[in-house]
Amino acid sequence: AVITPRPDGSGQAEATLAYGGMRTADAPPLPGGEARAEPAVAISPPESAWTPRERVALTFDDGPDGKYTPMVLDILAEYGVTATFFVVGVQAERYPDVLARIRDEGHEIGSHGYAHADMGKMTAADIAEDLRLADEALREAAGIVPALFRPPCGSVSGELKAALSDSGKKLVRWNVDPRDWDGTPAAEIASHVLEHAKDGAIILLHSFGGKNADLSGTIEALPEIIEGLLAQGYELTTVSGLERDSK
């Protein structure tokens, strides 16, 4: 038997036996007038045209804290979305329960240094000490040693890259930045993210800090961002999820 897709494009397939190209039902009867029995043919559907969904990662810097980080977590939980949190060591020491919640709710945790210093301007020795203190703080608070690192303010140097290599950490930047920390209105935060999102995008947001310690715009914009990205067909994942899915 030969399996061929129907010419009407229905996606179904039909079996044709080698009776001069005729279907079984149209083939001549057997001697004695008996009809030919339909063979048991396993018909496989045509190869699917399905392709993986495009993916983006939401990331949140500078937390945890006792105000905005829980709000972010509540929204992510409402939508069933996971994200990556780049946390500061001193904040982890202050809010270990919130850091543990980030971990327990399935989010990814990366290091954002110990004291949110400009590590691109630090000596190699000071960089190594800052990384060590941050790791120690996260280990004590949540029992983790992060494999990802995002430099505060995006400041990077050769010494920092070498220290990250020595410690086995991966440097993570971003490519969508709505400047939510700068008092940007919620509507502008959301529109910037939705207009600049693309497959593999790493979106920078914050869960602590901001101008006048106010991230209300981020909290207001986050549901619109999530709903808008989902409506555009994106799947929201973690930074490491982007890397796994690209292999």
Side-chain angles (χ1 to χ4, degrees):
V2 178
I3 309 302
T4 57
R6 292 187 183 277
D8 61 7
S10 66
Q12 301 296 319
E14 64 180 8
T16 302
L17 292 180
Y19 300 125
M22 293 181 290
R23 293 173 300 171
T24 304
D26 299 329
L30 294 168
E34 295 181 9
R36 297 181 183 271
E38 290 284 353
V41 179
I43 301 177
S44 300
E47 184 177 351
S48 173
W50 179 88
T51 55
R53 292 171 63 186
E54 295 185 331
R55 294 168 169 87
V56 299
L58 293 175
T59 66
F60 297 89
D61 283 12
D62 296 354
D65 76 339
K67 181 179 181 180
Y68 290 114
T69 305
M71 292 181 184
V72 168
L73 290 169
D74 288 345
I75 295 170
L76 296 177
E78 178 182 351
Y79 288 94
V81 169
T82 54
T84 300
F85 287 78
F86 289 96
V87 303
V88 176
V90 293
Q91 293 299 113
E93 292 174 342
R94 292 169 182 162
Y95 301 96
D97 56 332
V98 181
L99 184 64
R101 180 184 170 189
I102 294 173
R103 176 203 63 202
D104 293 344
E105 295 187 2
H107 303 290
E108 182 173 44
I109 298 173
S111 175
H112 201 37
Y114 180 72
H116 203 270
D118 185 346
M119 298 177 70
K121 297 180 180 178
M122 294 168 62
T123 66
D126 288 341
I127 290 170
E129 179 66 2
D130 190 285
L131 292 174
R132 185 190 68 79
L133 290 172
D135 282 355
E136 184 176 303
L138 271 61
R139 186 188 300 108
E140 288 290 328
I144 61 170
V145 177
L148 303 181
F149 176 83
R150 173 174 281 168
C153 307
S155 181
V156 178
S157 66
E159 288 82 0
L160 176 57
K161 290 181 179 179
L164 293 175
S165 178
D166 291 342
S167 62
K169 297 189 188 302
K170 181 177 179 62
L171 178 66
V172 179
R173 293 190 174 94
W174 59 87
N175 49 26
V176 178
D177 178 9
R179 295 177 64 86
D180 66 317
W181 57 269
D182 197 25
T184 305
E188 293 182 20
I189 294 172
S191 64
H192 182 96
V193 171
L194 297 178
E195 289 171 10
H196 292 84
K198 59 184 179 180
D199 189 26
I202 298 177
I203 299 163
L204 172 63
L205 296 166
H206 293 77
S207 67
F208 175 66
K211 183 176 289 186
N212 300 318
D214 183 8
L215 289 175
S216 57
T218 304
I219 301 303
E220 182 180 346
L222 187 54
E224 183 178 350
I225 290 171
I226 293 173
E227 292 176 8
L229 291 171
L230 293 174
Q232 291 180 22
Y234 290 108
E235 181 177 338
L236 278 61
T237 185
T238 61
V239 170
S240 292
L242 290 178
E243 296 175 351
R244 286 194 300 270
D245 297 331
S246 65
K247 292 180 181 178

